[in-house]
Amino acid sequence: MARGFRSTVVVGAGAVGSFFGAMLARAGHRVTLIGRAPHVQAILRDGLQLHMGGQVLSVPMAATTELAAVRDADLVLFCVKSTDTEAVAREIGPLLATDALVLSLQNGVDNAATIASQIRQPVVPAVVYVATAMPQPGVVQHFGRGDLVIGPLNARDAHDAALQARLQSVAELFAAAQVPVRISPDVMAELWSKLMVNCAYNAISALAQQPYGRMAAQASIRDVQHAVVREVVAVAQADGQALTLAAALEAMERIATAMPAQFSSTAQDLARGKPTEIDHLNGFVVRRGAELGVATPVNQTLHALVKLAEAGRTAPAA
């Protein structure tokens, strides 16, 4: 076990949080998942059923619906939906141990800063690359990858030797659980790159309810994705990020090859009638673009269409 971490708690244990929690638990680390009641009940009864590599692995671990479980953690994997970040961070703030380290395993680029505004403990942004789904409570399917990029949130943290040592401990902990972790000196640029990928895939996958491989097979869809990427890169560059168009397009193309069967998290949310994170993906790009004077008509269209699809699930016809 890597030095310095006795117990990990996953806050917001959906597919992503449950996957990484299960990987740590399989390696002998003490893990508690905080999630919704049906998921928690299934895990307590049967263990987490992890479908990975053609096998079904039953992973026993602690699970609860109570946020108070964070009291026992010195490592917190913060995996709630972006729309809930501020409220949940505010709620766990008084409960966290003084020496706790919080990793934000979330979509979007502004979650770690939002968490840090609500708690005293150090917050570390993490870029998550994994294809997962939770078809029913207590069951997680793994389709591809399963690695993280972490790094300091700001220049002050970058010069904090103690925090750098703890980042190395995080990497060692996950490596022992067969989860590759890379420490980046510019994790915010990496988060913008992931945001770009999410903006290119999530809304289209959701609106069409199609996986990434089928999207990539349609030249007209790839044209739309390229337009999305160009807009995100323009906003990122205006925001001072070192994101280049050529690298962004290459990264976008790789995702469909690496995860051809994956439906986006937005597609999964829309299919299940859950709120999506579209306001923090394409919607964020639209808002930030407006602030910086960068036009984002394609992202604006995709954002509006997903919001319409969300509204159509609950609103009666006029």
Side-chain angles (χ1 to χ4, degrees):
M1 186 180 298
R3 64 188 181 279
F5 295 114
R6 303 175 303 277
S7 172
T8 296
V9 170
V10 179
V11 178
V16 169
S18 297
F19 170 76
F20 286 108
M23 294 298 284
L24 291 174
R26 285 181 63 218
H29 193 59
R30 184 180 163 206
V31 177
T32 300
L33 303 183
I34 301 177
R36 297 184 184 278
H39 190 48
V40 166
Q41 291 161 6
I43 292 167
L44 293 177
R45 184 179 63 245
D46 303 319
L48 182 78
Q49 303 301 301
L50 178 60
H51 295 239
M52 184 171 68
Q55 297 179 292
V56 180
L57 309 170
S58 181
V59 185
M61 70 182 89
T64 179
T65 60
E66 300 298 322
L67 284 174
V70 299
R71 294 183 192 275
D72 299 327
D74 49 8
L75 180 62
V76 174
L77 306 186
F78 197 96
C79 304
V80 306
K81 292 289 187 184
S82 297
T83 49
D84 299 324
T85 295
E86 185 172 1
V88 174
R90 186 184 304 116
E91 192 167 348
I92 69 171
L95 307 174
L96 290 171
T98 305
D99 65 344
L101 182 69
V102 178
L103 262 63
S104 167
L105 274 65
Q106 300 169 276
N107 286 325
V109 299
D110 53 352
N111 283 297
T114 300
I115 299 167
S117 72
Q118 301 297 322
I119 70 173
R120 299 184 303 275
Q121 290 76 3
V123 180
V124 176
V127 191
V128 181
Y129 292 106
V130 68
T132 56
M134 198 165 76
Q136 63 192 70
V139 178
V140 170
Q141 295 173 319
H142 173 258
F143 299 110
R145 293 189 67 169
D147 50 292
L148 302 171
V149 181
I150 64 175
L153 174 59
N154 49 43
R156 183 193 64 194
D157 288 354
H159 292 94
D160 185 335
L163 180 60
Q164 292 293 337
R166 298 196 79 189
L167 294 184
Q168 188 59 46
S169 293
V170 170
E172 292 170 8
L173 173 72
F174 278 102
Q178 297 180 300
V179 175
V181 173
R182 177 167 58 85
I183 301 173
S184 169
D186 191 1
V187 72
M188 293 309 297
E190 307 254 6
L191 278 168
W192 269 94
S193 181
K194 176 69 184 301
L195 174 68
M196 172 274 300
V197 168
N198 283 335
C199 286
Y201 282 93
N202 279 41
I204 299 171
S205 174
L207 293 165
Q209 286 296 310
Q210 294 293 329
Y212 297 168
R214 287 191 194 143
M215 289 169 55
Q218 297 284 335
S220 58
I221 293 298
R222 290 179 64 211
D223 287 344
V224 173
Q225 290 181 289
H226 286 195
V228 170
V229 170
R230 284 193 293 272
E231 290 180 4
V232 176
V233 169
V235 174
Q237 290 175 345
D239 198 54
Q241 303 298 324
L243 201 62
T244 67
L245 181 58
L249 288 170
E250 183 181 346
M252 186 275 289
E253 297 281 2
R254 280 200 306 267
I255 294 298
T257 302
M259 306 176 179
Q262 179 70 9
F263 286 74
S264 72
S265 58
T266 307
Q268 295 177 47
D269 287 339
L270 207 57
R272 291 180 187 145
K274 294 181 178 180
T276 76
E277 294 182 292
I278 202 68
D279 288 341
H280 297 267
L281 302 176
N282 305 81
F284 172 82
V285 171
V286 172
R287 291 192 306 276
R288 193 69 183 123
E291 293 166 358
L292 297 168
V294 178
T296 55
V298 183
N299 280 277
Q300 184 176 12
T301 300
L302 292 175
H303 175 247
L305 288 172
V306 172
K307 296 299 285 187
L308 178 62
E310 283 186 315
R313 294 178 315 202
T314 55

